Amino acid sequence: MESLFGDLYDTDDSKTNHFADIILPVPIPKMFTYKIPKNLSEDIGIGFRVIVQFGKKKVLTGIIGKVHQKPPVAYEAKPILDILDNHATVNPLQIRFWAWMAEYYCCHIGEVMNAALPSGLKLSSESKIQVNPTYDSDTSPYPLDDREEILLQALANKEEMSYEDCEAVLGIKSIHGIIKSLVIKEAILVFEQVKEKYSPKVESRIRLAKEYVQDKSLLETLFNEIASKPKQEEILLKYLQEIPVYKKPELNQKGLDKKVFTDAGLSVSSLKTLIKNGILEEYKIIISRFEEMEGSEEEIVLSPQQLSAQQEIKTQFEEKNTVLLHGITGSGKTELYVTLIKEALEGGSQVLLLLPEIALTTHMVGRLRQVFGSKMGVYHSKYSDNERVEVWNGVLSGKLSFVIGVRSSIFLPFDSLGLVIVDEEHESSYKQYDPAPRFQARDAAIMLSWIHQAKTLLGSATPSFESYYNARMKKYGYVALDIRYGEAQLPEYQLADMLVDKKKNLLKLEFTRLLREKIQEALKNQEQVLIFQNRRGYAPYISCEDCGWIPECEHCDVSLTYHQFGEEMRCHYCGFKEKVPHACPACGSNKLSAVGLGTERIEESLSLLFPEARIARMDLDTTRSKYGYQRLLEDFGGGNVDILVGTQMITKGLDFDRVTVVGIMDADRILYFPDFRAGERAFQQITQVAGRAGRRDKRGTVIIQTRKPEQAIFGQIMSGDYKNFYVQEMGERQRFFYPPFVKIIKVTTRHKDLKTAERAARNLHNLMAEIQVKKILLGPEKGLVGKIKNQYIFESIAKLDKAGNAQAHFKLELQHLMEELQTHKEFRGVRFVVDVDPY
């Protein structure tokens, strides 16, 4: 096929025999081979970003995965259009990690790349350009040719231009060579249209013209000349007050932030006049988006138990690559992490600390920033594209040797990783569900450590059964820390029977008498309270009291959740929302009532029960903004909130002095969820949220509201009997073939037509049954939620023997079967989704 970009590059195979396999951000099963033009051959290497033509008109950013001399057999290799970097953006260890992830999680390496790279590092056919705010044609050392001058003049009157716009201005077919030249000359910035533009943070600065610094008499003459212009005189005096140019002339080169003058209320027009007359100079510099901060030299004092655990971890690391730290809530795991991180950094290694939630990241950042200062980077989705690119580049350059972040931080360009810590390793938040790769960050982190020959520390008060099983089987090292730090005691648990209170008419707004009394007592003593309910919104749904009508999502098989704020009903699967009707659309009755409890409704109930209390709510709805978590936690930590209502966000790692009461609103809902992990998750969530209480001298109280207090699990939670609970649950799992005794792979079939989805699911299921490995196949069954976003869903479950190569063989065969089915006309629109370790 003729290249869209004409004869810009020589395509004669006899003149060049170098090729590159390019990873492209598209769901294709392999890398594509492109030809390396001679003019680029010396500047190219593994991990470089390149621009390539994909299809007839699409232009994509790819990553070079391999350089070789073997041309493709099935197609003619197109030339690489250009290189975007002077150095590799991705290192070979990352590409090796991507390849493992694609193979293990049954996806394509391009999908892994798409998840790994920050948006600011990607380009596409929608790429645009803008003038670099730091560019000055008068001072630039790079001369421009005629076409570059024309392009910059056209860009001067516009905020941005597309590649097509540039081609129209210059009347040529390919603009890439000119764009590259202008980027090298730092005259323009390239950004992707559909994402935030990546641009460095620019600061305007002011300095005194060089001649006035070199000749003091000139400055004295100047003051005489502007004596009648007091506003200009004020600005000069302010500058000399801040920058003593004759005592420290080197400071003049750095100048002053322009805001120093404007914040002091000095005349902006006079400042402009001084700049115009050449007395002051205005220039721009690129600065970091992150505040520079020195780390603390103060030594962390460990308790005898912590010191013993620290030494045991080091001993275990001599034999095992992975160690499980089983430390009860409040035992001081963070202090242990800090000492281990310090040692690794002093040894010249990089460190990654993984946390399950952004909320916990926010809380931990302040604590760790004081110790490690600006050598620590933070990486999570609340950061803008620009900020994430800066963290990526900080790791790449070696400026950031320690990163704290959520699951996406495993993709950062580490090259000498020595230690990975996975805090709260049991958390389900480490699992990525959509889009691909559907990875488990804890497991992926262990593989990342293995690739780097690093060590992994898994920390939790309630370890996942998989990790605990691996520790008992001696695959992992195991260290226990079962005493709380300092004088703190474990909280006292009390069960509150909701049915008994209801019969005695003591249940008010779903709060038992016991919980109300404990909250009142805490408020009286100026202490704080946490209320846990793992369901956001006002109520799960509304219903008509007369005919039983329940509003459902138009696109999914779920009821709409009622949100009182905004008076609307929302689908938590697809985002569909609509206003609450004034009357039932089925029978016309106006008797519509909310059913069930969400965090929003609990917040309202608390304000009625305790009108004097200051109440806040922490859930997805109240923390959407970038600093939503931080503001809430600062208010709570500063004592400006008495009662904090929250979802699972409040169960993890929060450490506040004054929390003495924790209330769990509906323990039964956690326990009776249709999932083989329901018991494990209930034990973990209740124990974790309970661990927020009484973390200093006063013992905390935990009230568990339930309709079935006789359940054995409550006794095990209250006594902290993790070991016996584990033994009991594992017996059930072994009997019915669940992890960790088998490997589970879930295959989901989706299509807009119910019958087509069902036929495709049954066809695939029958073909999977023929794969020659030891397995148990379940399904296909309609999904728990049978329709999402107008797509009908069917699921099949494969339980695979963990021995030998059964998993690898099954995955390989499964990929072939899905590709074969999609060649059939009937199933071309069907989407198959493979999820390895789905639960």
Side-chain angles (χ1 to χ4, degrees):
M1 180 177 62
E2 184 178 344
S3 172
L4 176 71
F5 302 95
D7 58 357
L8 179 64
Y9 299 106
D10 190 347
T11 58
D12 184 354
D13 283 340
S14 65
K15 296 182 180 179
T16 178
N17 58 354
H18 290 278
F19 298 87
D21 291 344
I22 311 293
I23 306 168
L24 297 174
V26 289
I28 51 177
K30 59 182 180 180
M31 292 188 274
F32 267 68
T33 302
Y34 285 81
K35 190 184 305 178
I36 303 175
K38 275 195 170 180
N39 62 320
L40 301 180
S41 60
E42 294 185 5
D43 304 319
I44 216 159
I46 292 173
F48 280 68
R49 290 182 304 151
V50 293
I51 301 174
V52 295
Q53 179 189 350
F54 185 71
K56 292 184 178 180
K57 292 188 176 180
K58 195 176 275 189
V59 175
L60 295 175
T61 302
I63 298 288
I64 295 180
K66 184 180 180 182
V67 177
H68 56 86
Q69 295 183 337
K70 188 177 179 181
V73 177
Y75 55 91
E76 183 181 346
K78 297 175 185 175
I80 291 172
L81 300 174
D82 224 329
I83 309 173
L84 292 170
D85 304 309
N86 294 322
H87 53 78
T89 298
V90 173
N91 64 51
L93 289 173
Q94 281 177 284
I95 294 173
R96 185 180 172 193
F97 180 56
W98 293 359
W100 169 82
M101 186 170 278
E103 181 181 345
Y104 184 83
Y105 288 106
C106 285
C107 62
H108 306 306
I109 193 167
E111 293 174 307
V112 181
M113 171 196 159
N114 208 27
L117 284 184
S119 294
L121 292 178
K122 301 172 195 171
L123 298 174
S124 74
S125 54
E126 295 298 319
S127 297
K128 292 193 173 186
I129 65 169
Q130 67 180 51
V131 174
N132 189 332
T134 63
Y135 179 74
D136 187 340
S137 58
D138 296 329
T139 59
S140 174
Y142 307 109
L144 302 177
D145 64 29
D146 293 342
R147 292 192 297 183
E148 291 169 349
E149 286 277 9
I150 293 169
L151 199 54
L152 279 185
Q153 286 172 13
L155 200 54
N157 302 318
K158 298 181 180 180
E159 288 188 5
E160 59 191 43
M161 287 174 64
S162 67
Y163 281 25
E164 290 78 10
D165 294 337
C166 297
E167 289 167 356
V169 166
L170 296 178
I172 60 176
K173 288 184 177 180
S174 180
I175 198 73
H176 293 283
I178 298 169
I179 296 287
K180 180 186 177 184
S181 175
L182 287 170
V183 169
I184 291 171
K185 294 175 181 178
E186 300 179 346
I188 63 169
L189 295 173
V190 180
F191 63 92
E192 188 176 350
Q193 182 189 28
V194 294
K195 301 289 183 182
E196 282 187 55
K197 312 174 216 185
Y198 172 63
S199 57
K201 188 176 181 181
V202 176
E203 183 178 274
S204 293
R205 298 186 75 84
I206 304 294
R207 63 187 170 206
L208 190 63
K210 193 184 297 182
E211 56 267 29
Y212 294 102
V213 178
Q214 294 172 343
D215 190 343
K216 193 174 182 180
S217 62
L218 276 178
L219 189 60
E220 291 171 354
T221 304
L222 175 62
F223 270 106
N224 292 330
E225 290 174 357
I226 62 170
S228 60
K229 300 171 183 175
K231 290 184 178 180
Q232 292 185 25
E233 190 177 45
E234 278 182 6
I235 289 169
L236 275 177
L237 287 171
K238 176 68 175 175
Y239 183 84
L240 294 172
Q241 180 186 351
E242 299 286 338
I243 306 288
V245 294
Y246 296 115
K247 290 183 180 178
K248 296 181 178 179
E250 69 278 5
L251 292 179
N252 186 64
Q253 192 61 28
K254 293 182 179 179
L256 269 184
D257 185 349
K258 193 176 181 179
K259 288 182 181 177
V260 172
F261 301 99
T262 54
D263 291 349
L266 300 176
S267 169
V268 175
S269 61
S270 296
L271 180 61
K272 287 181 179 177
T273 302
L274 288 170
I275 294 169
K276 183 181 177 182
N277 294 337
I279 297 164
L280 294 176
E281 296 174 350
E282 182 177 6
Y283 64 104
K284 298 180 188 295
I285 61 168
I286 295 173
I287 61 171
S288 172
R289 284 182 163 82
F290 303 105
E291 182 183 353
E292 294 292 321
M293 183 176 172
E294 287 295 321
S296 168
E297 297 296 325
E298 186 179 341
E299 283 294 318
I300 302 253
V301 180
L302 300 180
S303 68
Q305 293 80 15
Q306 287 173 317
L307 281 169
S308 174
Q310 180 194 38
Q311 188 53 52
E312 199 173 343
I313 289 168
K314 291 179 186 176
T315 303
Q316 297 271 8
F317 273 152
E318 291 175 8
E319 297 180 7
K320 310 283 186 186
N321 290 325
T322 304
V323 172
L324 174 62
L325 173 61
H326 188 173
I328 63 170
T329 56
S331 58
K333 293 188 289 294
T334 304
E335 286 75 18
L336 264 179
Y337 296 160
V338 169
T339 58
L340 293 168
I341 291 166
K342 274 189 167 182
E343 287 185 14
L345 295 177
E346 286 166 5
S349 296
Q350 296 168 317
V351 178
L352 171 62
L353 170 57
L354 279 177
L355 298 173
E357 291 271 5
I358 295 170
L360 190 53
T361 307
T362 304
H363 188 70
M364 288 277 272
V365 163
R367 296 170 69 182
L368 297 178
R369 182 80 76 192
Q370 292 176 351
V371 179
F372 298 102
S374 298
K375 71 171 73 168
M376 182 186 89
V378 184
Y379 198 77
H380 57 64
S381 61
K382 291 289 184 185
Y383 273 7
S384 69
D385 289 341
N386 289 330
E387 288 168 323
R388 275 182 280 175
V389 170
E390 286 197 17
V391 175
W392 182 285
N393 289 335
V395 174
L396 196 63
S397 66
K399 180 185 176 184
L400 299 176
S401 50
F402 167 39
V403 175
I404 175 173
V406 293
R407 58 178 181 250
S408 57
S409 54
I410 63 172
F411 294 118
L412 287 166
F414 298 106
D415 59 7
S416 58
L417 202 56
L419 176 66
V420 177
I421 299 173
V422 185
D423 191 32
E424 309 292 359
E425 63 84 28
H426 64 277
E427 270 296 331
S428 58
S429 305
Y430 282 124
K431 172 66 179 177
Q432 162 78 17
Y433 290 101
D434 271 311
R438 295 168 180 83
F439 64 97
Q440 221 294 347
R442 175 199 63 220
D443 300 342
I446 292 170
M447 175 54 68
L448 181 69
S449 291
W450 183 83
I451 289 172
H452 282 262
Q453 298 184 344
K455 303 296 182 183
T456 307
L457 180 66
L458 308 176
S460 177
T462 53
S464 64
F465 282 0
E466 281 80 1
S467 296
Y468 194 62
Y469 174 81
N470 284 329
R472 287 171 65 103
M473 294 294 107
K474 307 299 182 184
K475 183 178 178 181
Y476 297 168
Y478 179 80
V479 177
L481 189 58
D482 50 15
I483 297 177
R484 274 195 160 186
Y485 184 76
E487 302 298 318
Q489 296 178 311
L490 285 169
E492 175 193 3
Y493 288 89
Q494 295 184 39
L495 291 175
D497 192 325
M498 298 179 74
L499 291 180
V500 169
D501 271 31
K502 190 172 184 179
K503 287 175 184 176
K504 294 180 179 179
N505 205 25
L506 296 173
L507 193 67
K508 292 185 179 179
L509 301 175
E510 299 299 315
F511 282 80
T512 56
R513 181 177 66 176
L514 177 61
L515 181 53
R516 294 197 310 273
E517 287 175 351
K518 290 296 181 182
I519 292 172
Q520 190 63 64
E521 185 183 332
L523 294 175
K524 182 182 175 182
N525 295 332
Q526 296 186 326
E527 295 161 354
Q528 292 175 306
V529 178
L530 287 179
I531 301 294
F532 172 61
Q533 170 72 340
N534 205 14
R535 184 192 286 276
R536 64 188 174 102
Y538 185 83
Y541 59 92
I542 62 172
S543 176
C544 175
E545 293 179 14
D546 289 335
C547 73
W549 170 83
I550 296 171
E552 294 185 348
C553 177
E554 292 181 0
H555 314 291
C556 310
D557 276 348
V558 291
S559 58
L560 294 174
T561 301
Y562 172 45
H563 288 253
Q564 190 180 50
F565 182 76
E567 276 297 303
E568 63 186 16
M569 302 177 296
R570 298 182 205 159
C571 174
H572 290 172
Y573 284 86
C574 72
F576 171 78
K577 59 186 178 182
E578 64 181 20
K579 288 292 182 183
V580 178
H582 297 293
C584 173
C587 71
S589 170
N590 55 11
K591 292 182 180 179
L592 298 176
S593 59
V595 181
L597 274 179
T599 49
E600 196 178 337
R601 190 171 189 177
I602 291 171
E603 182 185 21
E604 180 188 81
S605 299
L606 284 166
S607 65
L608 294 171
L609 293 168
F610 307 100
E612 76 285 2
R614 297 165 295 176
I615 303 164
R617 173 165 51 95
M618 180 183 279
D619 56 27
L620 187 63
D621 298 316
T622 61
T623 55
R624 290 184 188 277
S625 65
K626 181 176 179 180
Y627 298 109
Y629 293 102
Q630 191 172 329
R631 282 193 293 268
L632 270 170
L633 293 176
E634 284 174 357
D635 282 346
F636 193 67
N640 300 320
V641 173
D642 300 314
I643 305 174
L644 181 63
V645 182
T647 56
Q648 82 282 353
M649 294 176 183
I650 67 170
T651 68
K652 307 171 182 75
L654 304 184
D655 186 6
F656 294 109
D657 299 358
R658 295 168 52 207
V659 176
T660 57
V661 174
V662 168
I664 295 158
M665 291 300 296
D666 189 1
D668 303 327
R669 183 176 176 273
I670 311 169
L671 189 57
Y672 291 104
F673 192 78
D675 183 347
F676 76 91
R677 290 191 191 277
E680 179 186 0
R681 296 258 165 85
F683 192 103
Q684 290 166 346
Q685 287 190 348
I686 294 172
T687 302
Q688 289 288 340
V689 73
R692 305 311 113 209
R695 295 175 72 92
R696 297 298 181 269
D697 359 351
K698 186 169 180 179
R699 191 179 185 191
T701 303
V702 180
I703 310 299
I704 302 173
Q705 293 197 159
T706 174
R707 293 170 181 81
K708 292 192 174 182
E710 69 278 3
Q711 281 285 337
I713 188 173
F714 293 129
Q716 291 165 327
I717 290 170
M718 291 164 72
S719 63
D721 192 0
Y722 176 88
K723 186 175 179 180
N724 280 332
F725 175 66
Y726 164 85
V727 170
Q728 175 188 316
E729 286 280 309
M730 290 296 271
E732 293 286 309
R733 292 200 191 178
Q734 189 168 21
R735 182 181 170 194
F736 294 106
F737 300 102
Y738 280 103
F741 301 103
V742 296
K743 174 69 62 178
I744 288 185
I745 297 177
K746 180 170 77 173
V747 184
T748 303
T749 305
R750 298 183 181 184
H751 194 265
K752 61 184 179 182
D753 178 67
L754 175 63
K755 295 297 182 185
T756 304
E758 187 173 12
R759 279 196 299 273
R762 291 201 178 281
N763 272 271
L764 181 61
H765 188 88
N766 293 336
L767 291 169
M768 284 194 296
E770 297 175 9
I771 299 176
Q772 297 299 307
V773 296
K774 192 175 179 181
K775 63 186 180 300
I776 298 171
L777 277 183
L778 304 175
E781 296 289 345
K782 198 171 181 182
L784 188 62
V785 178
K787 185 175 74 169
I788 297 177
K789 297 181 181 177
N790 292 322
Q791 298 270 315
Y792 291 95
I793 296 171
F794 286 84
E795 295 174 347
S796 290
I797 301 290
K799 296 180 180 181
L800 303 175
D801 188 1
K802 294 186 76 174
N805 68 341
Q807 299 168 53
H809 180 65
F810 183 86
K811 291 173 189 175
L812 186 64
E813 290 297 314
L814 178 59
Q815 293 277 21
H816 293 155
L817 293 176
M818 291 187 298
E819 289 168 16
E820 181 187 328
L821 270 178
Q822 286 182 314
T823 61
H824 299 177
K825 186 178 180 181
E826 181 187 6
F827 300 138
R828 278 178 194 165
V830 172
R831 185 179 173 216
F832 296 113
V833 174
V834 181
D835 194 353
V836 179
D837 304 329
Y839 305 110

